[in-house]
Amino acid sequence: MQTKQTTGLPTAANDYVTIVQQACNKVTGFLQLYKEMERCVTITGKSRSTLTNYSRQLAHLALHYNCFPLDLDAEQVMDYLYLIKSRGTTSATFFKFTVYGLRYACRMKGLEYKQFSLPEIEKENKLPAVLNGMEVKALLKACKLLKHRLIIGLCYGCGLRCSEVRNVQIADADLQRGMLHVRQGKGSKDRCIPLGKMLCRGIAQYISAVHPRKYLFEGNDGQGMSQRGTQWVVGEAVKRAGIRKEVHTHTLRHSYATHLLEQGVNILVIKELLGHAHIETTMVYLHIAKPSTQNVFSPLDTLYKQG
């Protein structure tokens, strides 16, 4: 439990439920704001993580001043953002979602967010890290439990997002056809992905041994596995494998797309497998994939062959 409420800034013991519930209990109007954000996120088809990230940062801000966030003035908001920036232990993501959360709340309420003098957040032009084949094998070998190997196997072998692998249901895996039905991914879109023989065998073995009821990977409450639990599985495997790269669950998705591209799969097919809305999002992997040296030729030679 959090023991200090003087700043409202995050501590290692904080989690999403705790900080948002604190703000709902202590700050007048925050509970209503949260309910309105939840409704708006649901109606517009945004992911649940959007609600999580925005409401958590607004809760920190509300507790810092013990005041409804949209009642603050520009000086108070700027002082808070300066405090976040000046703390070396606070991540850039924390700062970014504070700004985005305020913008979202203002738009939802029909307010002009420029009143808070919010800074522009420049999009990072940074290529994602990817694993090579040996590193993926090392991750899988480092897992002591079949459950953990399957989680990593689905993130890499099917390019699933963290939220998607957590919510895979037994009925979604058609082992006879070798297909996985991903339901309500980002943007509330369904898609189907080839499982492959290894994952089909692993899932069949796991179901036979564990007997999950609804979700393939169940949490303590019988629902899908938690985000923190899924991230822990990957983090522990990375440590045991001795991989020095910064690896998260999404790194496995990046590796999936990059390796498919390197093995000759059309980028338009990869776009559909990943569930991307725009080809521009998928095209980042063109900058990561190792270029193929097969069938490289000079266009000058083919130009004169045409005659």
Side-chain angles (χ1 to χ4, degrees):
M1 295 295 291
Q2 186 177 8
T3 59
K4 189 176 180 180
Q5 296 295 329
T6 55
T7 66
L9 291 173
T11 65
N14 263 355
D15 61 23
Y16 163 67
V17 175
T18 299
I19 197 68
V20 172
Q21 190 60 55
Q22 287 175 7
C24 289
N25 293 339
K26 296 181 180 181
V27 179
T28 302
F30 194 87
L31 176 59
Q32 182 62 32
L33 176 67
Y34 176 79
K35 288 181 177 179
E36 290 180 22
M37 288 181 66
E38 184 176 35
R39 181 180 62 184
C40 191
V41 165
T42 302
I43 291 173
T44 57
K46 293 187 179 296
S47 66
R48 187 76 185 181
S49 62
T50 298
L51 176 65
T52 299
N53 292 325
Y54 291 178
S55 60
R56 179 170 51 195
Q57 305 316 105
L58 290 176
H60 281 298
L61 175 59
L63 288 171
H64 177 70
Y65 285 111
N66 193 27
C67 178
F68 187 66
L70 300 183
D71 288 342
L72 299 171
D73 60 36
E75 278 299 313
Q76 289 174 305
V77 172
M78 292 301 287
D79 284 345
Y80 180 76
L81 293 177
Y82 172 75
L83 177 61
I84 294 174
K85 275 286 191 181
S86 62
R87 285 175 60 108
T89 56
T90 304
S91 70
T93 303
F94 188 94
F95 180 88
K96 178 178 71 175
F97 283 129
T98 300
V99 174
Y100 287 169
L102 271 172
R103 287 182 184 174
Y104 190 83
C106 286
R107 288 197 300 269
M108 186 180 68
K109 289 286 193 179
L111 302 174
E112 179 55 67
Y113 62 75
K114 290 182 180 178
Q115 66 175 310
F116 293 120
S117 301
L118 295 174
E120 293 295 327
I121 305 293
E122 292 187 7
K123 188 174 182 180
E124 292 184 350
N125 189 19
K126 186 170 68 172
L127 294 176
V130 297
L131 299 175
N132 59 47
M134 293 301 294
E135 289 169 331
V136 175
K137 287 182 179 180
L139 273 186
L140 293 169
K141 187 177 180 180
C143 296
K144 297 179 179 179
L145 299 178
L146 175 58
K147 176 180 181 179
H148 296 173
R149 285 198 298 276
L150 278 178
I151 289 172
I152 290 175
L154 284 168
C155 286
Y156 169 72
C158 294
L160 300 188
R161 301 177 176 94
C162 182
S163 60
E164 293 169 346
V165 74
R166 294 190 296 115
N167 291 307
V168 170
Q169 297 184 19
I170 300 170
D172 296 334
D174 187 336
L175 302 184
Q176 186 173 1
R177 293 178 58 239
M179 297 295 292
L180 179 69
H181 189 163
V182 181
R183 300 182 187 277
Q184 298 297 287
K186 190 173 182 180
S188 300
K189 294 185 298 183
D190 285 16
R191 67 186 192 278
C192 290
I193 306 171
L195 273 170
K197 295 179 181 179
M198 292 185 67
L199 281 172
C200 283
R201 287 199 301 267
I203 291 172
Q205 181 183 349
Y206 175 76
I207 292 174
S208 177
V210 178
H211 304 294
R213 289 166 293 180
K214 180 179 178 181
Y215 291 93
L216 189 61
F217 307 117
E218 293 178 335
N220 295 330
D221 58 357
Q223 298 299 308
M225 193 172 178
S226 70
Q227 178 176 336
R228 182 172 294 181
T230 309
Q231 293 170 338
W232 180 87
V233 168
V234 176
E236 285 299 301
V238 170
K239 289 178 186 176
R240 292 198 192 101
I243 296 173
R244 297 183 178 275
K245 293 177 182 176
E246 187 175 349
V247 179
H248 307 285
T249 52
H250 219 71
T251 308
L252 297 168
R253 177 173 162 86
H254 293 317
S255 303
Y256 165 81
T258 303
H259 294 176
L260 285 182
L261 191 59
E262 289 175 341
Q263 292 170 36
V265 178
N266 187 286
I267 195 166
L268 293 175
V269 175
I270 296 173
K271 169 186 174 293
E272 297 304 315
L273 291 172
L274 292 172
H276 285 163
H278 306 289
I279 187 62
E280 290 80 9
T281 308
T282 319
M283 286 178 68
V284 67
Y285 299 111
L286 291 172
H287 301 286
I288 306 171
K290 182 180 178 181
S292 173
T293 57
Q294 296 179 350
N295 300 321
V296 176
F297 53 84
S298 168
L300 186 63
D301 293 338
T302 58
L303 180 68
Y304 284 96
K305 281 184 180 179
Q306 294 174 1

